[in-house]
Amino acid sequence: MLKERARFIRLETVRLIEIAKTGHYTSVFSAAEIFAALYYDVMRLRKGDPSWASRDRFTIGKGHAAVGLFPIYADLGFFPKEWLDNYTRLGSPLGDHPDMRKVPGVDFSSGSIGHALSNGLGMVLAQRWTGEDYRVFCMMGDGEMQEGQVWEAALNAAQHKARNLIAIVDRNGYQLDGRVDDLMNIEPLDEKWRAFGWEVHTVDGHDVARVTELLRRVRADDERTRPCMIIARTSKGRGVSYMETEPGWHLGYLDPSDAEKAIAEINALDA
């Protein structure tokens, strides 16, 4: 079921970008299994009720991947599915990046890289006044690890023992300008996060069963006193072979004939 939800996310991304005529295929494709695991299994949510006070929250630094989240929100009844058909059109609440003021289900307006972890930490600290007991999941890109704001938030989260904060790095190896480690090497990433006081796990981000099992386990862990980091090893553009090592597909458009070939690859993918 979760494999099919990951396929659904990829296929809907192709469909919505066809409406917009430009978009971020590869950033969604690397995260599709993680999105599926979170929203269809791990996170505590109520269908049709995106404002439920006790829901788990999700912040995303790589806000350009929102095109892969909007179909999930519609599928969960957070807003009418018809909204998707007008993606990015004049007057539509659905833009290239998520806007929490306009889109039910969006917990954080993102796209300015580096701020999602700070925002997620704020949500966790707010629990100490509200008495709610939710988890906050925060996804960041690996290029985002080059932002100083991320590491300031990491220090603060450890200092405040923000055990309900679960971060995920989509370690797909690429950012807008090329390979992450060629532009600014971020390894050893696991050791860095441990040195900042976090519990750290590494997982194959496309093995949906392992991703789900790990996320379930860390969500349910009531003994942990530290924030948790999951480094998900992924491939940017996963599911469409010619996108997987070509950074130029960070932002692009498939003409109808190429879209048909991409859809065929996605349908043939054993996620």
Side-chain angles (χ1 to χ4, degrees), residues 154-211:
L155 283 171
N156 273 275
Q159 173 69 23
H160 291 290
K161 296 182 172 56
R163 55 170 301 276
N164 283 350
L165 181 60
I166 301 167
I168 304 162
V169 172
D170 181 5
R171 184 68 167 112
N172 61 39
Y174 285 87
Q175 60 191 99
L176 176 62
D177 295 326
R179 291 184 58 85
V180 169
D181 293 343
D182 290 341
L183 295 163
M184 186 180 294
N185 187 11
I186 62 173
E187 294 294 346
L189 192 57
D190 56 347
E191 293 180 21
K192 286 183 171 73
W193 282 95
R194 287 192 183 96
F196 272 66
W198 287 55
E199 176 179 301
V200 180
H201 303 270
T202 301
V203 68
D204 177 347
H206 297 303
D207 187 330
V208 73
R210 290 185 181 275
V211 168

Side-chain angles (χ1 to χ4, degrees), residues 48-121:
D49 189 2
S51 298
W52 178 40
S54 296
R55 73 191 184 283
D56 286 346
R57 273 65 165 172
F58 179 71
T59 68
I60 183 167
K62 43 181 276 179
H64 50 277
V67 63
L69 292 170
F70 295 149
I72 299 173
Y73 299 158
D75 192 40
L76 293 175
F78 292 169
F79 58 76
K81 292 182 180 180
E82 291 75 20
W83 285 18
L84 298 174
D85 299 331
N86 291 312
Y87 171 66
T88 70
R89 300 301 85 189
L90 185 64
S92 171
L94 307 180
D96 191 51
H97 289 71
D99 188 333
M100 64 185 294
R101 300 167 301 174
K102 298 178 180 178
V103 185
V106 173
D107 291 314
F108 173 56
S109 301
S110 62
S112 181
I113 299 299
H115 299 287
L117 191 63
S118 295
N119 191 276
L121 173 59

Side-chain angles (χ1 to χ4, degrees), residues 8 49 52 71 91 123 143 178-179 189 241-242 268-269:
F8 159 78
D49 189 2
W52 178 40
M123 293 178 181
R179 291 184 58 85
L189 192 57
S241 56
Y242 55 83
L269 177 67

Side-chain angles (χ1 to χ4, degrees), residues 61-62 112-116 139-147 150:
K62 43 181 276 179
S112 181
I113 299 299
H115 299 287
M139 175 180 282
M140 296 174 284
D142 46 0
E144 200 164 350
M145 299 298 97
Q146 299 162 354
E147 297 284 347
V150 169

